[in-house]
Amino acid sequence: MHYPSLNFALGETIDMLRDQVRSFVAAELAQRAAQIDHDNLFPADMWRKFGDMGLLGITVSEEYGGAGL
C-alpha cells in the first residue's frame, strides 16, 4: 500500500530502496507470511537473499562495512 500524502522527503536513494524492498517482499515473502507467522520462524533462505540485496547491516556505518543508511 502506498500513501502519497506521507512524503517524508527522505531522498531518491531511500525511495528506490523502499520500492526495491516492497517489490522483493511482494514476490518472495507475501505468499509465505502466514506460514512464517504460524511457525514463528524466519525462513533461512531469506538471509542470503537479503544479503545479496545489500539489506543486512544497512544501518551500520560504511567504515564498518555497512550501508550507512
Side-chain angles (χ1 to χ4, degrees):
M1 185 170 281
H2 183 66
Y3 299 98
S5 64
L6 295 177
N7 182 358
F8 296 106
L10 298 175
E12 189 175 316
T13 300
I14 298 299
D15 290 344
M16 288 182 347
L17 175 64
R18 182 187 57 239
D19 293 342
Q20 178 186 18
V21 171
R22 181 184 293 125
S23 294
F24 173 81
V25 168
E28 298 282 339
L29 281 176
Q31 68 273 14
R32 300 167 69 180
Q35 190 64 48
I36 291 168
D37 288 347
H38 177 268
D39 296 343
N40 195 29
L41 181 64
F42 193 77
D45 63 299
M46 288 291 112
W47 291 111
R48 169 71 64 185
K49 292 178 181 184
F50 283 169
D52 290 345
M53 291 177 65
L55 297 175
L56 302 179
I58 201 165
T59 60
V60 175
S61 298
E62 289 182 44
E63 68 180 298
Y64 299 112
L69 297 173

